[in-house]
Amino acid sequence: MKQYLGIEFGSTRIKSLLIDEKAEIISKGFFVWEDHKENGLYSYSEEEIHDGLIKSLSDLNKGKLVECTAMGVSAMMHGYLALDKDGNLLTPFRTWRNENTKEASRRLTDLFGVNIPLRWSISHLYQALLNGEEHVSKIAYLTTLSSYIHYKLTGEKVIGIGDASGMFPVDPNTGNYDKEMLQKFDILLKEHNITYKLEDILPRIVKCGQVAGKISKEGALFSGNLLKEGTILCAPEGDAQTGMVATNSIKVRTGNVSAGTSAFLMVVIPGELRTTNPDVDIVLTPDAHEVVMIHVNECTSILNECARRFKGVLPVGIVGTGDKDLVGYLMSQSLLASSDLDGITHHSLSKDQAAFSFEKPYSIKYHKKDVSLPNLMKAVVYECVAELATKSRILASEDIEINEVIGSGGYFATPLVGQSAMSAALGCPISVMDTASEGGPWGIAVLSSYLFSSLSLSEYLDHIFSTQNKITINADKKEKEMFKHFLEND
């Protein structure tokens, strides 16, 4: 029996997942980890990356060799892993969470004429250059986390087109880094007495469906001898791209929203945007279609903070004993909210101190002395997606219609609540699939199985998803009006 392995290095878990030819899950394993600050920047150490890989694979197959026909690696996008000519890291891994790149991001956006976000690898590189960091002149390879792990396993300096598009702008017509922008950045390098060209240190882009390497002898050892030498790999991809695969949202006017601690919305667009917007990234699907990506730092973190404050106040017999029980109970209470929400509205803390605050960039404000729990929780559920709703207005201004968005993440764990609120926020139907909960590792496992297909990726995914269950909710008129009132009556 053919088996396919997907490994994803997420922000909180390293998850391994094995599927069969029908993309059904055979087994899964995971390792919990957490970033830390090193020299003031968010990072994970080399030891954590290495140990996490081994422990996740060991959990997958009880410490035995993982036999698979093909495999792939996915990881959190963006960030900065700079290696010297001997393959050693020149600095600790700098993750997407770091926001020390504001000056670089602003200058590159002006130079290229497209939005270059703080998170992108090129912003990290240019900021290091502006800071005069000595290691920049020694860089022989600059890459992302997925590509770094792929390199450790295979010795190949390659990357999937989607993950590459979060390092540096990629031309979807050629499938390579934008040549004109490369030349502009090379001038910046020369101004700082750097002798290499940017293209020389970036990973080579490998197309979806092409073999991107094999597990080497050293790679097998790196995996704790849990992976077999000679196993073929697909191109490493970012978690955004594998999330698109896991939700079958790679067609034009389809999208997916990952709503967990933070949230990001991705919509495949039919053409270029008319304007550059700092809230909008342009990245690519694994098969090179342009995608609008809108990211917000806060989502269920707002809900979790609310639950933390209620913990110990509500009776255990009503809500259960675990944090998930409490969150589920509070979200369910929102279904009982009245249409006026006791006058609660979205409130920007930049104006003045809110009456009800979780010390976040945004909060909610109530106008009555007595507020019911259902109305308060409805407001919190709405607040989780308020910023995403505001930023996504760019889509309407660009006349981009969305046929459907597939949702994944903890925000959708309580039936009806999250889906209905997200539908009201984005103005389109929200669907949840069985595979959405498995996310990236399932998605990259499917991409490795695609190595053996002659179909287009879209056709292949339609075949895979033909038996998947899907629940779709389109917010009713009342829900839409409640959300609009909450958001616009500050």
Side-chain angles (χ1 to χ4, degrees), residues 102-345:
K102 291 179 181 177
E103 179 66 14
S105 172
R106 182 187 63 78
R107 291 196 189 188
L108 291 176
T109 296
D110 291 343
L111 178 65
F112 294 155
V114 297
N115 184 35
I116 304 296
L118 303 176
R119 307 183 301 277
W120 282 27
S121 306
I122 194 62
S123 293
H124 288 277
L125 174 61
Y126 190 39
Q127 191 65 53
L129 200 63
L130 293 174
N131 293 345
E133 296 186 43
E134 185 181 349
H135 80 270
V136 175
S137 64
K138 302 173 184 176
I139 298 175
Y141 186 40
L142 175 66
T143 195
T144 64
L145 183 56
S146 77
S147 180
Y148 170 75
I149 297 158
H150 185 100
Y151 167 67
K152 298 295 284 187
L153 293 173
T154 67
E156 300 287 345
K157 297 178 178 179
V158 298
I159 195 169
I161 194 167
D163 207 10
S165 68
M167 292 191 73
F168 189 87
V170 172
D171 183 346
N173 298 312
T174 65
N176 290 310
Y177 302 107
D178 187 285
K179 188 167 289 187
E180 184 179 339
M181 295 182 195
L182 284 172
Q183 291 171 348
K184 288 181 178 180
F185 195 83
D186 285 342
I187 293 173
L188 298 179
L189 290 173
K190 193 173 290 187
E191 288 174 354
H192 287 80
N193 299 315
I194 302 298
T195 57
Y196 57 74
K197 292 185 176 181
L198 180 59
E199 193 170 18
D200 295 337
I201 65 169
L202 292 176
R204 176 174 59 87
I205 297 174
V206 174
K207 292 182 179 179
C208 179
Q210 294 182 345
V211 174
K214 297 180 180 180
I215 298 288
S216 64
K217 183 178 179 180
E218 295 78 13
L221 186 63
F222 183 76
S223 74
N225 290 315
L226 295 174
L227 297 176
K228 188 176 180 180
E229 183 180 351
T231 302
I232 63 172
L233 284 81
C234 65
E237 269 295 3
D239 55 354
Q241 284 69 34
T242 52
M244 283 187 259
V245 171
T247 52
N248 195 17
S249 51
I250 65 168
K251 296 185 183 74
V252 172
R253 296 185 182 86
T254 64
N256 72 295
V257 59
S258 176
T261 304
S262 61
F264 60 81
L265 169 68
M266 306 190 71
V267 179
V268 186
I269 58 176
E272 293 184 359
L273 296 182
R274 294 190 294 266
T275 58
T276 298
N277 188 299
D279 290 329
V280 176
D281 306 359
I282 300 296
V283 294
L284 300 177
T285 66
D287 55 348
H289 292 294
E290 288 195 322
V291 178
V292 165
M293 182 176 183
I294 299 173
H295 182 270
V296 296
N297 288 334
E298 305 292 345
C299 185
T300 59
S301 52
I302 300 171
L303 181 64
N304 293 337
E305 176 64 15
C306 180
R308 185 184 70 80
R309 297 195 179 208
F310 274 112
K311 196 170 186 178
V313 176
L314 297 172
V316 171
I318 294 177
V319 302
T321 58
D323 290 347
K324 286 186 178 179
D325 296 327
L326 177 56
V327 170
Y329 172 79
L330 292 173
M331 289 192 80
S332 296
Q333 281 291 300
S334 73
L335 295 171
L336 304 175
S338 60
S339 58
D340 67 351
L341 292 184
D342 287 336
I344 302 175
T345 57

